[in-house]
Each structure stands twice: as C-alpha cells, then as structure tokens.
Amino acid sequence: MQETRVFDGEKLRASLFNPGADRLFVTFRQRVAVAGEFEDRGPVKNMTRHGYAHLHIQPRYNDWYINGETKALSRDLKDLTKGYEDVCAMGFSMGGYGALRFSTALHLKRLIAVSPQYTIARGVVPHDRRRKEAESFDEALGDLIRYGRHDLQGVVLFDPFRKMDLSHALFVQAVFSDLQLCRLSCGGHPASQVIREGGSFWDLQSLLRDGPLTAARVLQLHRSRRRQSPTYWQRLARVARQRRRPLLGAAADAGLERLAAAPKKGQ
C-alpha cells in the first residue's frame, strides 16, 4: 500500500496509508534505543482492511515530539483530520504521550495509551533516565492541559509494580478524566508485553475498531494470556521476592516450571 507523506520535516514526519477511507487510525513511534533516523513503516493491515486510513507519526529523535516543528505539525493534523467521521489511536510510552499531546489537533475520539508519560519536564520527573534525551523539552509546548482533548475516551494501560508508570498514569487521568485506568500486573514497560507475548496487538486494535473499549476487556485479555507467558511468571517471581511473599513466589516458580515442561509447538 502506497505511503502519502502528509508532513515531512527534519524532526517530525507523518505518513498516511489508505487515504480514501472515512475513518482514521493513528499510531506513534515510541522511544527507540538508537535515535537519529526515521523508520520505514507500512500500514497496520488489521485496520486498513476494515475500512480505516492509517496515519503514522514519528519523531527523528527521542524528543517526545516537542521541537521546532511541533506547531506546524499540529496545524497540518488539524486540517487533515477534520474530514474523518472517526479518529482513534494507539500509542506506547513516548508514543502514548504523543497521542495525548496531539489529541486535540487530531480530533481524537478514542485512545489506547500503553504506559504513557505525562511529561518529561525536569520539575516533574527530575530523576527519569530519559531526561537526558529530552534536555531541551519545552514544558509549555508539551503541556497536556493546554493541548490535550480532555473529553477523550479510552484506556490507559500500565504495570502498577512500575512506580514511575503508575505516577504517570495517575497524572494522565487527572487531566483526561474519561480515560479508564487499566492495571496490567507484571506487564512491564510497555505494559502490553504479556498480551503481545501471547499473540499480537490485533485484539487491542480490534477493541478500538469494534468495541466496547473498556479497561475490563483489556484486563480480561491480559489474564487470558498471562498463564502462557514466561515474562509474566518471571516478573511475578521478582515481585514476590521483593515483597517477601514466599507463597506467591512458589506459585510463580511453579508457573515457570509448567511452561518449561510443556511441549513446544510443532513437537
């Protein structure tokens, strides 16, 4: 499917696929280990095959989308998206912040935000190791109270055992009160890792498409996949040790042993 470049800056880029659709699905690049180049990205077929256009927004650097091109991108997004009947989005970590920051410009209605940051401002998160990547972060330009769509519907997924992610989730809900908090224990960062390990993100995307998009349905999906997730049991064992819960630790170890003893697919 051909890409239509709808914003092509030095620091920000937006690519559109299946532009003739009347509904729009938006994704955002999350923080990457090595920044400095734009990624090549194709469409999310789970959405385009069901009548959605797909818009992918990405920064060249891990700057949380806040730079000298932010305002220009916002203006272009506002013009681009006003003709769509429905706009929904999904974003992970830094990408979750991006979805919240551009939610008004995008005319965004529904969002799945996975372990999003509320801000990277020094005064709020002074000890975040990611601060070094965003030294020039403009707190005013990145203000979610000013630029976010406060009646946005959807869910915020996070692992409650990750204290910083819990703090960010509570900050987000304080501003976006219609977003439901969804605690995915031992889901990691981003908190969808257990869901991903048990299959794909298609089920999450389908909640945006077909609904209902509720925290209860996402939690049910997490629970249905955690039994077969080594990541879940490993993290649960670590939490049990940290909190001195020997019975919980024994249950986690038993879960890992069961998975190790289970026959592999194709055997």
Side-chain angles (χ1 to χ4, degrees):
M1 186 176 292
Q2 187 174 357
E3 171 194 3
T4 301
R5 195 74 53 78
V6 294
F7 189 90
D8 196 9
E10 289 295 321
K11 296 181 178 181
L12 295 170
R13 175 178 291 180
S15 303
L16 184 64
F17 303 91
N18 196 29
D22 57 10
R23 299 178 294 174
L24 179 65
F25 173 61
V26 190
T27 57
F28 299 80
R29 190 183 193 183
Q30 65 190 75
R31 177 180 176 269
V32 294
V34 180
E37 299 293 337
F38 290 117
E39 64 179 344
D40 292 327
R41 178 65 183 266
V44 174
K45 295 180 180 179
N46 186 37
M47 302 300 283
T48 57
R49 287 173 178 171
H50 289 83
Y52 277 81
H54 171 215
L55 178 67
H56 183 60
I57 303 172
Q58 56 175 308
R60 183 187 291 272
Y61 306 102
N62 291 329
D63 59 10
W64 269 254
Y65 296 83
I66 304 302
N67 54 57
E69 298 175 356
T70 302
K71 290 183 178 180
L73 175 61
S74 295
R75 289 192 296 268
D76 286 6
L77 293 178
K78 187 175 182 180
D79 291 337
L80 174 72
T81 59
K82 63 184 179 183
Y84 286 98
E85 294 180 5
D86 178 52
V87 183
C88 61
M90 192 171 183
F92 299 79
S93 190
M94 183 180 76
Y97 167 81
L100 295 166
R101 168 57 180 79
F102 294 111
S103 56
T104 295
L106 286 166
H107 302 90
L108 194 61
K109 293 183 178 180
R110 297 182 314 289
L111 170 66
I112 296 177
V114 187
S115 304
Q117 281 82 53
Y118 172 74
T119 184
I120 202 70
R122 184 184 300 278
V124 181
V125 286
H127 305 299
D128 192 323
R129 65 181 182 276
R130 296 162 297 195
R131 273 289 316 156
K132 188 176 181 180
E133 298 174 325
E135 286 293 336
S136 60
F137 183 84
D138 184 332
E139 187 172 356
L141 187 59
D143 185 8
L144 297 185
I145 296 176
R146 179 177 180 182
Y147 292 105
R149 181 171 181 171
H150 295 180
D151 61 347
L152 182 61
Q153 304 287 314
V155 291
V156 177
L157 284 51
F158 65 98
D159 183 344
F161 294 126
R162 298 182 68 96
K163 292 183 180 180
M164 189 167 291
D165 286 358
L166 170 60
S167 296
H168 281 290
L170 294 175
F171 275 126
V172 168
Q173 196 192 44
V175 176
F176 303 87
S177 58
D178 289 335
L179 290 178
Q180 301 176 37
L181 297 185
C182 183
R183 294 168 170 82
L184 302 184
S185 297
C186 302
H189 182 95
S192 56
Q193 291 179 15
V194 170
I195 293 175
R196 176 67 178 269
E197 194 171 57
S200 70
F201 292 131
W202 282 37
D203 291 321
L204 283 176
Q205 294 164 1
S206 297
L207 291 180
L208 280 169
R209 192 181 68 233
D210 302 325
L213 177 57
T214 64
R217 289 195 69 186
V218 178
L219 181 58
Q220 182 181 26
L221 181 61
H222 176 78
R223 287 174 173 170
S224 70
R225 294 186 175 175
R226 69 187 184 187
R227 180 174 171 80
Q228 302 301 322
S229 168
T231 296
Y232 172 78
W233 295 112
Q234 290 165 1
R235 291 198 176 110
L236 185 62
R238 185 164 59 247
V239 168
R241 290 193 299 270
Q242 292 171 345
R243 303 197 173 197
R244 299 180 181 180
R245 299 278 298 278
L247 293 179
L248 184 62
D253 291 339
L256 286 170
E257 291 174 4
R258 173 180 53 79
L259 289 180
K264 307 300 181 187
K265 289 184 178 180
Q267 294 183 353

